[in-house]
Amino acid sequence: MVDIAPFQVRLRTPIDTAHGPIESRRGFLVAVEHEGETGVGEATPLGGWTESYTECEEALNRAQTVARHLDWGIALARTNAPAARHGLSLAFSVARARSEDAPLYRSLGRDERVERVPVNGTVGANGSPDVTATAATELVGAGHDCLKLKVGTNGVETDLERIRAVRNAVGDGVTLRVDANGAWARSEAERAISGLAALDVAYVEQPLPADNLDGLSALRDHGVGIAVDESLVAHDIETVLEHGAADVVVLKPMVLSGPDVAVETARTARAAGVEPVVSTTIDAVVARTAAVHAAAAIPDVLPCGLATGQFLETDLAPDPAPVENGSVRVPQTAGLGVDQSHVL
Ligand SMILES: [Mg+2]
């Protein structure tokens, strides 16, 4: 049995995407039954990152029909739209974890208890140096020792001033990352990286557009790590690793088609000496909590981009993995930890 229910949650402030600003996140809750347990998953497509809302709905409807006539395992195997597959796969994984009486992260292959996952605080791209430094200082005051600063909308020199103001304000003990979302040309990225190296920035996420894997490779080993995020939309992990395009890979389970695939991708990256970081596509509580479990399934994971519940004005259920002191608490109850009575 596969049940599908549409939902919508409102964002606090619109977020800019390559497909224009969005004010809400729309998706589908997916419920499956497995070994007498019900598991709920979430499929929340995001244009430019996954299939569209309509394509997701069509893929889930097809899966529902296949599940009715055959079984939902076949439906899962035949679904190749990433958000739709994420919803189905998560629902199954949660039902299985519940039947094993284990939290999801244990069911995803981690064999020891994990209490917390470290997360980075995020500062937006548009503030002046003073405003950016103030926002960074507030996050450090709230317990974050790793910050991600969005860049790429103001020109390289302005961004370097902003990062310098942050480094001066927070001191040497705080890890800084920047995310350019593919905004720079090669010459800008080279200028940025030499400036960022002097400010002890750990890594820069997507300094070049997603497809420029050779360009990304050439930017490595200049004092700042290179992370890819958008590159994993168009290219699989093997291609990214073959090109030597990254020191760090940002893994979004919704984009990769499931928390199971995200954990497997993390293992593949690690085996090649590349560090995984788990993040979300600003999903509702079901998928966000699943991303927390995926991160918990990766031993000694670096701070992750999982403090994204704060971007939502409304949500589907109370958050079982709130951010406190720079980390999230990993739910230890059987399954996901989200109260399914709120979402069924
Ligand atoms: Mg990113």
Side-chain angles (χ1 to χ4, degrees), residues 49 148 150 179-181 205-206 228-230 250 252 279:
W49 290 86
K148 179 170 103 167
K150 292 283 212 174
D179 187 354
N181 290 110
E205 213 171 299
Q206 209 67 54
V228 300
D229 184 0
E230 285 88 340
V250 179
K252 292 178 159 74
S279 180

Side-chain angles (χ1 to χ4, degrees), residues 32-336:
V32 306
E33 257 176 60
H34 174 69
E35 296 191 351
E37 292 286 347
T38 302
V40 177
E42 178 186 325
T44 309
L46 183 60
W49 290 86
T50 70
E51 76 274 26
S52 70
Y53 182 86
T54 307
E55 289 163 340
C56 183
E57 184 172 34
E58 286 167 1
L60 288 172
N61 286 338
R62 268 197 310 277
Q64 191 176 37
T65 304
V66 173
R68 197 178 298 127
H69 294 296
L70 298 166
D71 74 65
W72 69 261
I74 296 171
L76 177 64
R78 287 188 186 174
T79 300
N80 58 10
R85 191 196 174 281
H86 179 284
L88 287 164
S89 161
L90 175 57
F92 165 64
S93 299
V94 169
R96 191 184 57 187
R98 287 166 70 94
S99 73
E100 292 169 351
D101 200 26
L104 177 60
Y105 73 91
R106 299 289 287 253
S107 193
L108 288 170
R110 184 79 191 265
D111 56 11
E112 54 207 278
R113 187 180 169 97
V114 183
E115 297 288 345
R116 310 193 71 86
V117 168
V119 299
N120 63 236
T122 302
V123 182
N126 292 318
S128 66
D130 277 355
V131 166
T132 307
T134 301
T137 304
E138 279 170 15
L139 287 167
V140 172
H144 288 282
D145 59 7
C146 179
L147 302 180
K148 179 170 103 167
L149 309 152
K150 292 283 212 174
V151 297
T153 57
N154 305 289
V156 170
E157 279 64 35
T158 306
D159 276 332
L160 287 173
E161 267 180 59
R162 296 172 63 237
I163 311 302
R164 194 171 301 118
V166 170
R167 178 54 85 202
N168 288 339
V170 301
D172 292 338
V174 174
T175 300
L176 299 183
R177 303 164 166 176
V178 305
D179 187 354
N181 290 110
W184 290 327
R186 176 84 173 258
S187 61
E188 293 174 304
E190 287 170 352
R191 239 167 44 236
I193 284 169
S194 66
L196 295 172
L199 296 168
D200 192 23
V201 167
Y203 67 69
V204 54
E205 213 171 299
Q206 209 67 54
L208 297 175
D211 274 334
N212 194 350
L213 298 183
D214 290 329
L216 289 162
S217 173
L219 293 174
R220 291 177 67 197
D221 300 319
H222 290 86
V224 180
I226 301 298
V228 300
D229 184 0
E230 285 88 340
S231 289
L232 286 168
V233 176
H235 303 284
D236 58 24
I237 185 70
E238 286 78 13
T239 306
V240 167
L241 295 174
E242 275 163 25
H243 282 77
D247 300 289
V248 172
V249 286
V250 179
L251 306 178
K252 292 178 159 74
M254 193 66 70
V255 173
L256 295 172
S257 75
D260 52 340
V261 180
V263 173
E264 194 185 313
T265 305
R267 291 191 188 115
T268 304
R270 273 264 173 91
V274 171
E275 274 301 304
V277 163
V278 179
S279 180
T280 80
T281 41
I282 312 191
D283 310 312
V285 66
V286 172
R288 197 170 68 244
T289 307
V292 170
H293 283 278
I298 303 166
D300 301 315
V301 71
L302 292 176
C304 287
L306 295 170
T308 59
Q310 61 184 316
F311 298 119
L312 299 183
E313 177 84 41
T314 61
D315 208 341
L316 302 172
D319 191 342
V323 179
E324 301 152 337
N325 251 322
S327 65
V328 292
R329 192 176 58 230
V330 181
Q332 304 296 333
T333 51
L336 192 61

